[in-house]
Amino acid sequence: MENTENIREIGICGATATGKSELAVLLAEKFGGEIVSCDSMQIYRDMDIGTAKPSREMLLRVPHHMIGTVDTDTVYSCAKYAEDAKAVIEEIKARGNVPIVCGGTGLYLETLYYRNRFCEEELPAAPSVIRDSLLRYARETKNGSRLLYEKLCEIDPEAAAGINPENTRRVARAIEIYETTGITKTEWDKKSRDGEHADMTVIMLRYASRTNQQKAIKMRCRKMLDDGLEAEARALYESGALTNGTTASQAIGYKEFIPYFNGTESLRAAQDRFFTATCRYAKRQETWFRHKDYVNTIYVDDVLLGNKTMADIAEEASELYLSGAAGTSDAVRSADEEK
């Protein structure tokens, strides 16, 4: 049996609409890999269009894991993901194949990259009175959720960048960590990075131009709408999956339709909010990944403009992988920050 310790993993990350899924398939075909999703919403069943799950054709080309395996009424945590995904990765290696972790949920990827990563569930428990007070403030105060998020931005801006402002429970959790321990969630996370990390080349796909990024996102959103996103969201709404407070109910592309389904907003307004929410999410994704020293950046503007193909991007990614690249150099990172 092949020594699985010699199998180097691949991580593919970045904002929405950058071509992560296609790149993952191309690399899997090239290196004999299997894909492990690290998308916190693709894990759910019945949420196909809005979470941009890989197409049926992609799923048939190479094995995919951690996609559509959890019911929408299930609360699925980072800790549970780490447990499940690490087991899958070991099984892939045991078969002599290359695990390719692909997705846009930064916390999930980092949990796999840093083997001793603290997940939120492993941090000190806060007195329930603190959490109840924060959630009550968000619920009962005018613009409470927004004000709570602004408080987190002041306390721990890096953690805030990785959290959806509308996910009040996660915002409150990050604040209560600080109020309970006097240490920010970001500082706790850094403690977890002092030890061992996976033998993984992590590649971030990114647009250098904000205009190109928004164009790509608009095209992605329009395709989702054309493919039947509204009907998919309505089915989830009628089942109660969008109003039960579970993790799945926070998914962008679904909750934006709730006012329309309630009859308090037009379809056009819901669609506009969907696009705006997606752009904001992409910005948070970039903020999270851009400052990680284990990330290697490849720009994909030329793919959008027709000057390159994803096969060209796969060649660039392959060179990084074969070279054993561990992260972006200071020189490249400095140039990246100026764009």
Side-chain angles (χ1 to χ4, degrees), residues 183-234:
I183 300 174
T184 66
K185 182 178 181 301
T186 297
E187 290 177 281
W188 277 105
D189 291 344
K190 287 177 180 177
K191 288 178 182 291
S192 74
R193 296 197 289 268
D194 291 338
E196 178 186 2
H197 64 75
D199 186 15
M200 178 189 293
T201 294
V202 180
I203 297 159
M204 174 186 179
L205 300 185
R206 185 184 178 203
Y207 290 101
S209 162
R210 185 70 64 187
T211 300
N212 287 341
Q213 181 185 53
Q214 291 188 350
K215 180 179 179 181
I217 290 174
K218 183 169 287 188
M219 291 168 60
R220 165 70 64 84
C221 291
R222 175 45 57 189
K223 184 177 187 305
M224 287 179 173
L225 293 169
D226 290 344
D227 287 346
L229 176 58
E230 179 197 336
E232 185 174 86
R234 186 181 291 278

Side-chain angles (χ1 to χ4, degrees), residues 76-121:
Y76 196 77
S77 68
C78 167
K80 179 59 176 169
Y81 171 80
E83 177 186 348
D84 293 345
K86 286 175 183 177
V88 169
I89 287 172
E90 291 309 311
E91 291 171 2
I92 293 171
K93 286 185 173 184
R95 290 191 285 272
N97 294 333
V98 176
I100 301 177
V101 180
C102 176
T105 303
L107 186 62
Y108 279 22
L109 175 64
E110 194 152 293
T111 297
L112 298 181
Y113 183 80
Y114 290 108
R115 294 310 197 198
N116 63 339
R117 165 88 188 195
F118 286 107
C119 284
E120 291 179 19
E121 292 80 357

